[in-house]
Structure formats: C-alpha cells, structure tokens
Amino acid sequence: MIGQPGLLQIAASRMYINPSLQAKLENSERMLKALLNNLDGMVYCCLYDADWTMVFVGDGCKQLTGYDAQAFVSSEICLEAITIPEDREPVNKAIGDAISNGKRFAVEYRIIHADGRTRWVSERGCPLYDDNGEVEAIEGFMQDVTQRKLSEVAARDAEERYRSIFENALEGIYQTTPDGHYLNFNPALARIYGYESAVDLVCSISDIQQQLYVDPDKRQEFITLMNVHGQVSNFEAQVYRKGGEIIWISENAHEVKDRDGKLLFYEGTVEDITERKNYEQQIEYQATHDALTGLPNRTLLADRLQQYIGIADRYTSKLAVAFVDLDQFKLINDSMGHHAGDELLKIMAARLASCVRESDTVVRLGGDEFVLLLTGLHKIEDISESMQRVLSSVAGPCTIEDRDFVVSCSIGISIYPDDARDTTTLLKYADSAMYKSKQSGRNNFQFYTDELNQRLMERLDLEYRLRLALENEEFLLHYQPKLALVSGAICGAEALIRWQPAGESMISPASFIPIAEETGLIEDIGLWVLHEACRQAVKLNRLYGRELPIAVNVSPRQFRQSDLVSMVRSALLNSGLNPACLELEITESSLVHDTGSFIKTLQELKNLGVGLAIDDFGTGYSSMAYLKDFPVDRLKIDQVFVSNLEAEPSNIAILKAIVALGHSLNMKVIAEGVETAYQKAFLLGIGCDEMQGYHFSKPLHMDTFGKLLSDSCLKN
Ligand SMILES: Nc1nc2c(ncn2[C@@H]2O[C@@H]3COP(=O)(O)O[C@H]4[C@@H](O)[C@H](n5cnc6c(=O)[nH]c(N)nc65)O[C@@H]4COP(=O)(O)O[C@H]3[C@H]2O)c(=O)[nH]1
C-alpha cells in the first residue's frame, strides 16, 4: 500500500462531512481499497504534472509490472520508463487526446516486466478535473492482456497464411449457395473459368447450373451427392469457360452448416483436368479403335454388342450382327503390297460406314474382316435391304495407285434375339454364316440357320475328336502312285493322310485338314506324317529294292513354322531315308506372306537334298517374276485344269503354258487328277512329264501299294 492520501481522502479533505457519514465513508474506503488491491490488474492515479507523479498505485502493480506499487509512488520507477520505447508516443497521444477532448482513453501497449519479458497491457482511464475544470490528475486501470494479444497475433498470422494460400492457390477455391450463386472464390477459380478477374466472374455467372455446366443435370447430381453424403470427391464434369470453350474439371467439396445443422453454403476446390482427360480419352480411343480405318475395334465390339442387346430388349426390336469379309483383299494385298492393301481397307471401311445409320456400328475385327451391328430392326426385310446396300457399295469400282479394282464381299448375319441371346454365340453364328456365303460363290449374304448350327456343332465335334486322334493313333497314310508319262513306269508316290476313328468310317482329309490348319493342330499332324512317310519309305525301298521318291504335303502353316527345316532333317536322320527319296509338296498359298523368307526356306530345304514341288500350281497367286528364283524340281498342275479338260477347251492353253513354263525353268511338270485316257493322252502329247490320278490308281493302303509296286517290279 502506498503512503500518500487516497483519492477519496483528497476528495474528503475538500468538503464538510458529518461524523456518521464520515464513519460510513471510512468503511467504504476500506472496502474500496480491498477491492482495488484485489483487482486482476493495476489501478492507479497520477497527477497531471510534468512527471505524471503517481499518487495511488494498486497492489495489482506487482503482478502486472514485477515492481512494488511503492516504487511507482516514490518515483523510483515510472510507467513511461518501462514502456517499450516505440509504444510511448502512441500511449502519450491517446492520453493527450483524451485530456484535450475530456474523454476516456483506452490504449494497448507493451511494457518490460521486471523479469525482463515483454507484456502487453491494456490501459483505460480518464482525466480528473479540479474545481476550476482544470485537469488535475489521471485515473486509470491497467490489465495484462498478453495472452489475448498473442492469440490475436497468432490468429492474424494464420489468417494471413490462409489468405495467401487462398489467393495464390493453383486450384480454384469457392463457396457457393446451394442454389448456385458464388459467395466467395479465389483468383485461380476465375482463371480456370477464363475470366479476367473475380468481378468479371461474379458479374457473368449468376446460375452455376445453367451457365457453367455443359450438362446442367451434373449440378443436380452434385447436389444429390451433397444431400446424401455431405460431400463430393473427385466429381468430374465438363464446364464452359468464358469464351465458350469446354474444359474438364474435378471438384472436391463439402457442406458447411451452422450450429443448428442448417446448411449455410458449399465450400470446395476446382481443378482443371482437361489435359489428363484428353490424354485418357486419347488412350481409350487408341485402345478401342483401329488405327488404320478409325473404326471401333474388337475391344469395343463386345461392349457395343452388349449395349445394343439392352436397347433391343427395351424396345422389343431386333439386332443384326453382320460379319463382312472382303473377297479379293488377299489378292490385292499380296500382288500390290501392303500400302495398296491398307488403302483398300480404308476405302471399304468408309463405304461400310456410309451404308449404316448413325446409331449402328461398324467394327474392324482385323485383316479384311468387319462386323456391322444394325440396331432398331423389326423385320428381316430391313436387314436384307441394308445388306444389299452394303454389297453394291463395296462392289463399286475403286482406284488405288492409279489402278481400278472391283472388290466384293461375303456377309454372314445372325439376329438377336432370334438366333442367340449372348454376344459370343451371335458372333460365332454370324461368322459361320459368312463362311457359308463364301462357299456360295461370294458377293452375297447369308442368314444364320439351324442347319448351319448343325454343321457348326459337327465341326466343333470334329475339332474335339481331331485333338485326340493323334494320341489314339487314328491316322494312317495312303499312297497314290505317280506315273512317268513316257515310260508308263511308277516314278514315285504321294503320301496322303487318312483318319480312321475306331468303329467309324474313314474321314477324308478334305474335311479335317482345313480345321487342323485353322486350329494349329496341323503342326503336330504334319510332323507325324513326315516321320511316318520317311519310316514307311525306307521300308518300301528295302522290300522292293528300289528307291522311290515319296511326296509329302506341307501345309502353309507348317511351312511357316520356324523349325520346319530341322524337323525335316531329324525325320530323315531318324528313319535313315536318303533325302533324295523325300519330296515336299508346297502349295502356292504358302507364299502369300513374304516371298523373301519363302525362298530362303525353300533353299534351306533344298540344301538338305530333298526334292521340292509346287502343289496346286495355277490357282495360287505366285508371281511369275519370282518363279525363276524358286529352287523347286517340279510344278504340280492343279487338278481343276485337268478334270475340266474335255468340257473346257480353254484349259488346253493353260496346260500347254504351264508345261512350257516349267520346262523353260528346268522343272519337271506333273499333272494330278487325271481320270480319263483322253486326259492322259493329251498330257503326254503336250510333253507333261508325269501324272497322278484315278485313271491309273486311287490312293492306296500301304499294303496294296506295296503289292502294286512288287507287281510293277515283276513286270519290269
Ligand atoms: N477327283 C479326283 N481326285 C483325285 C484324283 N487323283 C487324286 N485325287 C485326290 O486329290 C488330292 C490330291 O492331293 P492334294 O492336292 O495334295 O490335296 C490334299 C492335301 O491338300 C490335303 N492332304 C492330304 N494329306 C495331307 C497331309 O498328309 N498333309 C497335309 N498338309 N495335307 C494333306 O488334303 C487334300 C485332299 O486329299 P485327298 O482327299 O487324299 O485327295 C487327294 C487325292 O485323293 C483324281 O483323279 N480325281
């Protein structure tokens, strides 16, 4: 407590007070003193003199400043001295202003506590006037507000930091009302949406749903998600930028509610994901479209088909799946090269697309195979009309590399839900109908039928049994003798495979070799034939004491096997057959892929010492220009030219030409399918070297062929 008289004492000394009032006053003064000294802060009164002489300082002084009240009252220390220098001026000004205006003052500033630390204080006070109305003293209260001040500073710093993030974020940040008005947003949002400034954006967009979203339903979806989950994550949508440009955005947002749970606004972020979306779309497009023609590819086919089935169910309509195969593609591709083939595919893709409606789909499966999906059909006649249109459009003349072509196509059709209800079966049925259309002379369309299904089933069954036939040792070889035309002697034989399933009739290779070729089983079957033919040839040679060349068919797929040469070599080594006694018959169609590697393989086979023949010559596509480079010993004329000889005299010229061609290239020429004496005589007449055919002998069982050989040995 300080030794100076208190304010009340000063006041009391200036007026007359009766004794009972005096006692009450003294009691009140005590109470007041106790109150002032117990306040959480410092009460003071100082004179309005040059030194601001303290006349009263409350006990709270110690806690506030670290100094005893007495130190202030005795002027050992003054408030100004402990005030941080830069704060002195504003404090003095606040008090000065209050004095001149006769008002209260309130000021906050920093002092240095006796412990050396800085404290924030809040000082409030007012001037006291003497009887003349002159300022006599200042009375005030000081409180430690350090804690509050530090919190305010921290809050201000945080606010500044968040504002900086808000202002400088690359992502758009916004608050909107649920009915689509912006409350607040950052510059990035304006930038993303293409506006020069926030004002520009606010003035331009008053209804987010209608003005921003390309699909206004998206906003509804957004609000529904908000209602259900209270938030949306990675919500992707297309929006219009200021100039009308469309971009992709991704939004993350949540609801902001008041204490009572009432929705106040939505708050969220916006990211421009156009680049990523475009890239994703590009990748997806590439994965689902054919690079050459731009048509949907096989991957998209199943999806679309499933989608269209859904539509057909909904509208009780039909869906047609049409398999289209170009008839002459291979011919053009092989003869004119891949570039011309590609051009042809592009032209045909465009024609097919022009024959169908917007809602239909044209798919390129690969190679020269396309699939059309025709939707919303009610009558089969509609499909026939469309297919007729496709046939004539494809068959229209086209020019590639300055050459004119006419191409046709074969089409097979299956119908949903009539033929099948699932995508795989529909495609399978359309495919088999397409094969039927090819067999029916091409350039036509065929609908899938039950009979076709029956055949398909038989084929699947055959394929299944064919897989087991090797294991079950159901194959055997027949031999068809070859005759030297001039001498009439047997000059060789062709080994022809037969399939004899136990307890069933024999199956012709014409029915199973194409399946074996398609499924790849031909590789194992062909290897078996090679080994068996070599083994039996050694046996025959030994029995009849003469070396007879045995011809073995090598299918196109076998020919393309990378280890064909080593397989032939090991068949020869295993059997011990003289390589000169083995002849390989290779069909012209083996050549279609790559003439260079075709010739290389022929050369390697030739180097083994085996004979080589081109089978079915005249029906394939081999270019005459390459023929001279083939290291082959024989040309085997396809039987169509021989069997039709009587009926079609035009074959005469072809046969003569082939014989002349073969001889000019130092090859022997053999004719197959010779059935009549006339044909034999004719072939002899034009200088054909050898013949093979029913006229002399059908393919024979090994034992029968052996007997024929021994008889002929006896004759000679
Ligand atoms: N109409 C008639 N036909 C005659 C006459 N002379 C022979 N043929 C038949 O014509 C086919 C000639 O064989 P290919 O052209 O190589 O045609 C063969 C060949 O492409 C293939 N093939 C047969 N055996 C094998 C084999 O071991 N491996 C491979 N890859 N294919 C084989 O199956 C095709 C059919 O063989 P096959 O049914 O044995 O039919 C044989 C033969 O029986 C005749 O005067 N008139």
Side-chain angles (χ1 to χ4, degrees):
M1 226 13 257
I2 50 179
Q4 294 289 323
L7 276 182
L8 291 171
Q9 280 170 312
I10 297 170
S13 67
R14 291 183 185 164
M15 64 181 90
Y16 167 76
I17 300 171
N18 78 31
S20 78
L21 187 61
Q22 175 79 30
K24 276 186 194 163
L25 279 174
E26 278 172 9
N27 196 27
S28 304
E29 189 183 356
R30 208 178 354 85
M31 276 172 60
L32 191 58
K33 250 192 229 165
L35 198 64
L36 294 179
N37 285 329
N38 282 311
L39 274 178
D40 190 11
M42 173 181 126
V43 182
Y44 71 87
C45 177
C46 65
L47 296 180
Y48 183 49
D49 60 12
D51 302 323
W52 302 93
T53 308
M54 284 289 184
V55 291
F56 173 81
V57 175
D59 283 355
C61 169
K62 178 79 177 171
Q63 200 186 352
L64 187 77
T65 65
Y67 299 100
D68 288 333
Q70 182 58 38
F72 284 95
V73 176
S74 63
S75 298
E76 272 173 52
I77 191 144
C78 68
L79 268 179
E80 180 144 30
I82 63 168
T83 299
I84 288 229
E86 57 265 37
D87 289 359
R88 287 175 194 160
E89 165 74 33
V91 174
N92 289 338
K93 183 168 182 313
I95 298 173
D97 288 351
I99 290 169
S100 21
N101 300 327
K103 292 203 171 145
R104 306 178 63 80
F105 69 86
V107 62
E108 288 181 352
Y109 59 96
R110 288 161 296 171
I111 60 166
I112 308 287
H113 192 273
D115 64 12
R117 286 191 292 176
T118 302
R119 295 284 159 89
W120 274 95
V121 294
S122 158
E123 183 177 342
R124 273 162 292 149
C126 57
L128 290 181
Y129 300 92
D130 63 14
D131 295 343
N132 301 323
E134 295 295 324
V135 177
E136 184 183 22
I138 308 286
E139 195 175 59
F141 177 63
M142 289 170 67
Q143 215 179 353
D144 187 332
V145 291
T146 311
Q147 211 49 50
R148 173 172 61 76
K149 271 294 193 188
L150 290 179
S151 304
E152 277 175 16
V153 170
R156 210 172 34 248
D157 285 354
E159 159 79 19
E160 263 166 31
R161 270 202 308 277
Y162 288 125
R163 179 129 305 269
S164 162
I165 292 172
F166 182 76
E167 295 293 324
N168 300 313
L170 291 175
E171 279 188 339
I173 303 173
Y174 66 81
Q175 289 173 335
T176 66
T177 59
D179 63 353
H181 296 285
Y182 280 108
L183 293 173
N184 195 8
F185 56 86
N186 67 347
L189 190 84
R191 225 172 20 246
I192 290 172
Y193 292 157
Y195 293 87
E196 282 85 57
S197 65
V199 180
D200 192 13
L201 171 58
V202 158
C203 296
S204 309
I205 296 187
S206 55
D207 182 344
I208 291 176
Q209 173 162 11
Q210 296 303 330
Q211 293 175 271
L212 194 65
Y213 287 96
V214 173
D215 172 8
D217 287 347
K218 269 282 173 188
R219 177 70 179 173
Q220 203 42 55
E221 192 185 325
F222 179 96
I223 288 172
T224 310
L225 283 172
M226 279 292 192
N227 291 342
V228 177
H229 306 291
Q231 61 171 45
V232 296
S233 313
N234 302 323
F235 183 82
E236 296 184 354
Q238 284 184 297
V239 296
Y240 291 112
R241 291 187 90 224
K242 186 182 178 186
E245 180 198 351
I246 294 174
I247 57 165
W248 275 98
I249 57 161
S250 168
E251 286 181 82
N252 285 291
H254 58 263
E255 292 179 334
V256 177
K257 295 181 172 173
D258 65 11
R259 279 169 203 271
D260 304 327
K262 192 173 148 246
L263 177 63
L264 295 175
F265 51 82
Y266 297 146
E267 189 173 75
T269 58
V270 169
E271 191 189 349
D272 182 349
I273 55 164
T274 311
E275 209 170 300
R276 165 163 67 81
K277 272 286 177 186
N278 286 346
Y279 183 66
E280 277 173 11
Q281 278 173 349
Q282 194 187 334
I283 296 286
E284 194 187 320
Y285 185 86
Q286 282 168 357
T288 53
H289 287 77
D290 168 48
L292 179 69
T293 60
L295 291 177
N297 65 12
R298 190 183 284 274
T299 317
L300 208 56
L301 173 64
D303 267 16
R304 287 275 169 96
L305 197 45
Q306 200 56 58
Q307 202 179 316
Y308 288 170
I309 286 177
I311 296 173
D313 284 345
R314 208 167 320 133
Y315 298 104
T316 356
S317 58
K318 292 182 195 298
L319 156 70
V321 178
F323 234 94
V324 181
D325 188 280
L326 300 179
D327 294 329
Q328 295 83 3
F329 173 72
K330 278 197 172 58
L331 180 60
I332 293 176
N333 202 44
D334 296 338
S335 57
M336 288 187 63
H338 291 311
H339 184 256
D342 286 355
E343 276 309 300
L344 178 70
L345 289 171
K346 281 199 260 181
I347 294 172
M348 291 306 150
R351 288 187 184 180
L352 292 176
S354 71
C355 290
V356 302
R357 289 170 304 167
E358 276 285 288
S359 51
D360 299 335
T361 293
V362 180
V363 171
R364 181 177 170 219
L365 275 192
D368 58 349
E369 286 181 342
F370 298 85
V371 172
L372 312 182
L373 303 179
L374 310 178
T375 54
L377 303 163
H378 293 280
K379 309 189 299 286
I380 297 288
E381 294 77 54
D382 297 343
I383 305 172
S384 305
E385 264 175 40
S386 302
M387 292 304 115
Q388 206 53 62
R389 243 193 344 265
V390 171
L391 286 178
S392 21
S393 171
V394 167
C398 61
T399 309
I400 299 167
E401 293 175 1
D402 296 332
R403 289 173 69 173
D404 296 331
F405 294 94
V406 174
V407 175
S408 61
C409 67
S410 305
I411 309 174
I413 305 145
S414 66
I415 293 165
Y416 176 88
D418 305 8
D419 297 329
R421 301 191 67 92
D422 67 285
T423 56
T424 318
T425 316
L426 281 166
L427 286 168
K428 192 169 72 186
Y429 285 179
D431 189 22
S432 54
M434 193 272 290
Y435 273 102
K436 188 176 163 212
S437 135
K438 282 241 182 259
Q439 284 161 5
S440 324
R442 297 156 190 247
N443 195 22
N444 72 103
F445 60 90
Q446 296 286 334
F447 284 94
Y448 173 79
T449 58
D450 283 344
E451 176 226 321
L452 210 57
N453 187 28
Q454 181 61 30
R455 258 194 273 154
L456 191 69
M457 288 316 201
E458 280 168 12
R459 195 207 128 116
L460 286 175
D461 177 59
L462 199 69
E463 188 181 318
Y464 172 74
R465 291 194 294 137
L466 190 56
R467 287 184 191 277
L468 302 176
L470 256 187
E471 251 173 69
N472 296 342
E473 298 183 353
E474 292 171 353
F475 292 122
L476 67 154
L477 292 180
H478 277 186
Y479 293 89
Q480 185 173 37
K482 297 178 181 180
L483 214 62
L485 273 166
V486 174
S487 67
I490 296 174
C491 58
E494 178 180 5
L496 292 157
I497 192 167
R498 296 294 178 260
W499 179 12
Q500 177 63 79
E504 287 178 40
S505 47
M506 201 172 263
I507 302 173
S508 147
S511 2
F512 70 84
I513 290 290
I515 298 174
E517 177 77 14
E518 241 173 74
T519 52
L521 287 169
I522 193 70
E523 295 182 359
D524 289 341
I525 297 175
L527 190 62
W528 177 85
V529 172
L530 199 58
H531 280 267
E532 185 67 1
C534 289
R535 200 178 59 79
Q536 292 189 336
V538 171
K539 207 164 140 193
L540 285 169
N541 289 350
R542 210 173 288 140
L543 270 175
Y544 303 106
R546 45 185 283 212
E547 289 206 317
L548 195 72
I550 298 292
V552 167
N553 287 286
V554 175
S555 82
R557 187 162 179 153
Q558 256 181 297
F559 192 83
R560 287 197 298 276
Q561 277 183 276
S562 55
D563 51 355
L564 174 71
V565 178
S566 62
M567 284 191 302
V568 174
R569 187 186 296 113
S570 61
L572 290 168
L573 284 175
N574 283 352
S575 59
L577 182 70
N578 174 1
C581 289
L582 177 67
E583 184 171 86
L584 302 177
E585 291 189 5
I586 294 141
T587 53
E588 267 189 288
S589 46
S590 303
L591 166 66
V592 294
H593 287 275
D594 175 356
T595 312
S597 71
F598 178 78
I599 295 177
K600 185 167 168 273
T601 311
L602 285 183
Q603 195 56 60
E604 284 169 6
L605 290 169
K606 193 86 210 113
N607 294 344
L608 293 179
V610 300
L612 296 175
I614 299 282
D615 203 2
D616 305 332
F617 188 79
T619 54
Y621 313 130
S622 63
S623 158
M624 295 302 154
Y626 291 123
L627 202 57
K628 63 173 176 15
D629 300 322
F630 295 168
V632 294
D633 310 280
R634 269 183 187 72
L635 285 187
K636 198 164 183 185
I637 307 172
D638 194 273
Q639 47 182 286
V640 288
F641 301 113
V642 181
S643 58
N644 281 340
L645 189 59
E646 286 92 338
E648 279 202 48
S650 57
N651 283 342
I652 292 174
I654 296 173
L655 287 169
K656 281 183 177 167
I658 296 176
V659 171
L661 178 75
H663 287 167
S664 69
L665 294 170
N666 283 332
M667 296 172 188
K668 284 202 164 167
V669 180
I670 173 166
E672 63 181 334
V674 180
E675 292 183 347
T676 62
Y678 171 80
Q679 291 164 0
K680 179 181 172 188
F682 173 80
L683 290 162
L684 180 64
I686 61 169
C688 183
D689 304 288
E690 295 162 358
M691 64 155 250
Q692 183 184 336
Y694 295 171
H695 178 64
F696 176 61
S697 168
K698 288 199 161 187
L700 305 169
H701 188 275
M702 162 84 171
D703 299 339
T704 325
F705 177 57
K707 173 117 191 356
L708 180 76
L709 271 186
S710 63
D711 290 350
S712 76
C713 286
L714 285 177
K715 262 194 242 159
N716 298 329

